[in-house]
Amino acid sequence: MGAYKYMEELYKKKQSDLMRFLLRVRCWQFRQLAAIHRASRPTRPDKARRLGYKNKQGVCIYRTRVKRGGRKKPVAKGICYGKPKTAGVNQLKFQRSIQSVAEERVGRACGGLRVLNSYWVGQDAVYKYYEVICVDPAHKAVRRDARLNWICTAVHKHRELSGLTSAGRKNRGSGKGHRHAKVIGSSRRANWKRRNTLSLRRYR
């Protein structure tokens, strides 16, 4: 087994004494840093490389934290006007995962970079910490790389906001088989619209 394989096996046993100590110390360190900051190198090089990271110019890592838990409704004094159905404030859950929120925040903070992927690096009672792999689409080292320059096209601007990253795709419900019949045609909305639109083509 190579070194990365050993690292992968270590991370599969997160409750071992070694990993518990390591994650606790890392969380303490991350807590002292800003909410979004540039990391000099990936904390988990094996995971980063599996998700597309390359140690080259134009590819960088940003670390971010997101508050854990559900999403409280942002209403003044907890008052929701209208019908009782809309009166809930506290036990509401956000539609997307916390990881996709982390990607979104990094994507907004680094507008000129493209979000490639992200992975978990730790969590404590309040926050979850993620590292986000970003790519500079204007860098020559990226534009000349045939394996990476697909991300330079304009259609991939803010791909994390379009649900195109791995974490973002999970909440869209897209997949194969009868369980995913309602999202055939890119999305639930597109699928519904196609089935409910009367199309009378002129030359048929």
Side-chain angles (χ1 to χ4, degrees), residues 103-204:
E103 290 178 351
E104 180 182 326
R105 289 188 185 173
V106 170
R108 287 186 196 280
C110 313
L113 302 180
R114 304 276 161 86
V115 172
L116 179 62
N117 225 319
S118 66
Y119 53 93
W120 178 95
V121 285
Q123 64 189 48
D124 55 25
V126 183
Y127 296 107
K128 282 198 176 197
Y129 300 92
Y130 292 96
E131 284 185 359
V132 182
I133 305 165
C134 297
V135 178
D136 183 0
H139 202 291
K140 284 284 186 281
V142 174
R143 297 179 81 89
R144 289 169 182 159
D145 186 344
R147 287 182 174 163
L148 198 54
N149 62 9
W150 56 268
I151 207 166
C152 299
T153 55
V155 75
H156 288 293
K157 287 179 184 176
H158 289 289
R159 55 199 297 273
E160 73 284 350
L161 298 177
S162 308
L164 298 180
T165 59
S166 180
R169 239 192 343 263
K170 283 175 185 168
N171 80 287
R172 285 168 50 197
S174 50
K176 292 184 177 178
H178 72 278
R179 290 195 182 113
H180 305 281
K182 283 198 170 75
V183 288
I184 293 171
S186 82
S187 70
R188 205 166 284 259
R189 181 181 287 134
N191 179 290
W192 176 89
K193 192 174 181 183
R194 192 182 72 247
R195 289 172 196 265
N196 289 273
T197 303
L198 180 65
S199 177
L200 299 172
R201 295 167 186 261
R202 190 173 171 197
Y203 302 107
R204 63 183 187 275

Side-chain angles (χ1 to χ4, degrees), residues 2-14 19 22 26 41-55 61 117-121 131 133:
Y4 287 140
K5 188 65 180 172
Y6 279 109
M7 291 178 71
E8 184 186 347
E9 293 300 320
L10 272 176
Y11 263 89
K12 286 179 180 175
K13 301 277 191 291
K14 291 186 177 65
M19 287 306 298
L22 202 57
R26 276 189 188 150
R41 65 184 73 242
T43 307
R44 301 173 61 183
D46 59 318
K47 183 71 171 171
R49 284 176 61 82
R50 281 206 302 277
L51 296 178
Y53 173 78
K54 288 272 186 280
N55 187 8
I61 298 278
N117 225 319
S118 66
Y119 53 93
W120 178 95
V121 285
E131 284 185 359
I133 305 165

